[in-house]
Amino acid sequence: MKLFWPKDIGFDQAVELMRSKDTFTPFDEEVLLFTKALSKSLVRMRQMPEVVALGYWLRKANIQDMKKKWEEQNKDRLIKPRGIVFHIAPSNVDTIFVYSWMLSLLAGNRNIIRISSKEQKNELLDLILTEIAKPEFENIAKQTIICTYNYEENIGEQISEICHTRVIWGGNDTVKTIRQIPLNPMANELAFPDRFSLAALSAEAVMNMNDNDLDELLEKFYNDVFWFDQMACSSPRLVVWCGKQIEKAKSRFWSAFENKIQKKQYELTAASQVLKYTTSLWLATESEVKHIENSKYFSRIQVTDLPLEARERHCGGGLFYEYEIESLPNLSKVILDKDQTLAYFGFTHSELELLVNSISSRGLDRIVPIGQALNFDGVWDGQSFLKSFTREVVIL
């Protein structure tokens, strides 16, 4: 086990210190000052746009807006933090543990965070450790443990026994593994397994754009796809085309997108190229596949259906399934439980509502404009963090 925070004491002593401290009240002033200070530091890391986005999310105006809504929703209610929240961070999105931790901290909890052991160097973590060590955040520091350990160790068992909420970020295998560890009977659990996401575009809307507007749309699409190399659960992997001018719209969109990637000087790894190629070869034998096109920066696979296995085999790195429909409600035929985010362009709110009402599976938890697929929100996979991180005391 490696303990990143606190420093100079052991894990057992850190847990003892944490449990000796009172929890915060929701949106405590020291916590608000900490989020503000962290935000200012994060937005300076311009070489890491996903960290800048995290800093922007933590900005004072957004947190104050969250506080206002919280107070309106809980007026005349007695709300307490749950106690100790145990966060198990994923290895593919290194900012996600901060979102989870910050929301739990805003709810007033003490926090134990297990980060991935794969990271050799973590600039984001270094910055956090610098901020939390400042004297003005002493109370937060004493209620925070950041560590990593191998799953073969029994550390996860120890923390699961004392925590009041367990948050599991990771793939299906991670969720299954962690769930074999007994959880404190008084605790609740939030689990975020593998998900699949898609984008839908109106062909007519794409054809009606001028070149500048198309370039702006592609910039947003690029961010949604490549900030995490298409490995984030909300990054689009299936592109759905809707309308009557689909072939023209596809030709215009993908040609301009290839130029966009070239200008961005996106770094292609040999491993990613090989993986995309072998995945497309595997899919070529499937009856649902109509056409495969491998280009330098991305691969496109035209499908007539998208079974769960094809979703499971997606390798990221710029592999796009493509599916065509005449009208948006037709998309409901291929939506499965696993589908999380739909990023859209060229559709009205009422058209999107019609789609949601026509879906009979568990699928789709978020519908956002292209460019906002990776934006984090206090409600994720249909679950409200602040509600899950608190409890209501009833006095009759």
Side-chain angles (χ1 to χ4, degrees):
M1 179 194 192
K2 183 174 183 179
L3 196 60
F4 298 102
W5 188 266
K7 297 181 177 177
D8 304 324
I9 61 174
F11 178 73
D12 291 339
Q13 192 179 351
V15 171
E16 190 177 337
L17 176 65
M18 166 185 278
R19 299 180 78 176
S20 71
K21 298 295 176 184
D22 292 334
T23 54
F24 293 106
T25 55
F27 293 93
D28 182 273
E29 192 59 32
E30 181 176 325
V31 174
L32 295 179
L33 290 173
F34 181 64
T35 57
K36 181 181 174 183
L38 197 56
S39 171
K40 285 185 175 179
S41 296
L42 294 172
V43 296
R44 296 191 191 107
M45 298 179 72
R46 300 193 181 280
Q47 74 281 13
M48 302 173 70
E50 69 279 14
V51 174
V52 174
L54 168 60
Y56 187 70
W57 179 79
L58 275 172
R59 71 193 187 281
K60 183 179 177 181
N62 189 45
I63 299 300
Q64 287 296 331
D65 185 53
M66 205 183 300
K67 179 174 182 273
K68 184 180 177 183
K69 288 177 182 172
W70 166 264
E71 289 172 343
E72 289 172 355
Q73 291 168 357
N74 294 290
K75 188 181 179 183
D76 300 326
R77 290 177 175 172
L78 185 52
I79 306 295
K80 303 271 288 181
R82 292 192 65 86
I84 295 175
V85 176
F86 178 23
H87 309 262
I88 301 165
S91 60
N92 61 333
V93 182
D94 53 9
T95 54
I96 203 74
F97 83 88
V98 186
Y99 289 105
S100 185
W101 170 32
M102 288 299 109
L103 286 164
S104 174
L105 190 57
L106 287 166
N109 292 294
R110 312 176 189 108
N111 294 278
I112 301 176
I113 304 142
R114 187 264 179 194
I115 63 173
S116 171
S117 58
K118 294 179 181 176
E119 292 284 345
Q120 298 299 315
K121 180 173 172 56
N122 191 324
E123 293 176 55
L124 173 60
L125 178 60
D126 292 342
L127 186 148
I128 288 169
L129 297 180
T130 300
E131 289 295 330
I132 202 171
K134 293 178 178 176
E136 58 266 39
F137 305 128
E138 180 183 5
N139 290 323
I140 295 172
K142 289 178 178 176
Q143 297 190 37
T144 304
I145 295 175
I146 304 175
C147 63
T148 190
Y149 55 83
N150 295 320
Y151 287 124
E152 293 76 21
E153 301 178 71
N154 67 351
I155 304 298
E157 283 82 348
Q158 289 183 42
I159 304 174
S160 296
E161 178 59 34
I162 63 171
C163 74
H164 302 96
T165 297
R166 185 166 67 183
V167 186
I168 311 171
W169 296 92
N172 293 350
D173 291 342
T174 300
V175 172
K176 288 176 183 175
T177 300
I178 300 297
R179 279 186 164 168
Q180 291 176 14
I181 300 173
L183 181 63
N184 179 347
M186 293 294 291
N188 63 343
E189 182 178 83
L190 302 179
F192 300 94
D194 291 331
R195 301 299 298 272
F196 185 91
S197 293
L198 53 151
L201 297 100
S202 159
E204 280 66 37
V206 170
M207 291 306 297
N208 289 333
M209 301 177 83
N210 62 41
D211 288 345
N212 288 337
D213 289 344
L214 176 61
D215 187 67
E216 188 178 330
L217 177 68
L218 292 169
E219 179 78 20
K220 294 174 180 176
F221 185 72
Y222 175 90
N223 292 340
D224 283 349
V225 172
F226 286 113
W227 270 11
F228 296 105
D229 203 27
Q230 213 182 14
M231 296 305 288
C233 60
S234 54
S235 289
R237 300 174 182 182
L238 166 66
V239 176
V240 179
W241 292 97
C242 178
K244 298 185 182 304
Q245 302 183 67
I246 288 177
E247 287 309 315
K248 288 182 180 177
K250 285 164 69 174
S251 176
R252 187 183 186 206
F253 181 90
W254 290 116
S255 175
F257 189 53
E258 189 161 14
N259 291 335
K260 168 68 68 179
I261 300 175
Q262 195 171 11
K263 288 178 184 173
K264 289 279 187 181
Q265 297 183 325
Y266 177 69
E267 189 175 344
L268 285 165
T269 65
S272 175
Q273 287 291 73
V274 171
L275 196 55
K276 275 188 293 186
Y277 186 64
T278 54
T279 302
S280 62
L281 286 179
W282 172 80
L283 286 165
T285 62
E286 300 299 314
S287 60
E288 297 87 2
V289 173
K290 283 178 63 180
H291 180 70
I292 294 177
E293 186 174 320
N294 289 307
S295 66
K296 180 178 178 182
Y297 295 105
F298 51 82
S299 297
R300 295 164 52 196
I301 300 176
Q302 181 71 39
V303 297
T304 56
D305 192 8
L306 196 63
L308 181 61
E309 190 178 4
R311 286 166 164 84
E312 301 286 353
R313 289 293 297 266
H314 196 283
C315 60
L319 178 72
F320 297 99
Y321 299 134
E322 287 187 274
Y323 183 70
E324 298 177 3
I325 52 177
E326 290 186 3
S327 65
L328 198 56
N330 295 138
L331 179 56
S332 63
K333 296 174 186 173
V334 295
I335 297 296
L336 303 180
D337 289 0
K338 188 181 178 73
D339 298 332
Q340 183 210 56
T341 297
L342 170 67
Y344 67 88
F345 174 74
F347 301 103
T348 64
H349 193 273
S350 58
E351 287 175 307
L352 295 167
E353 274 193 357
L354 196 59
L355 167 64
V356 172
N357 289 330
S358 63
I359 297 172
S360 57
S361 69
R362 159 69 178 77
L364 292 190
D365 291 311
R366 302 173 67 234
I367 298 178
V368 299
I370 285 178
Q372 297 183 26
L374 302 179
N375 289 9
F376 194 80
D377 190 74
V379 176
W380 197 258
D381 281 7
Q383 304 175 88
S384 166
F385 283 95
L386 287 175
K387 278 187 179 178
S388 299
F389 288 157
T390 53
R391 61 191 175 90
E392 181 175 358
V393 178
V394 177
I395 302 176
L396 299 178

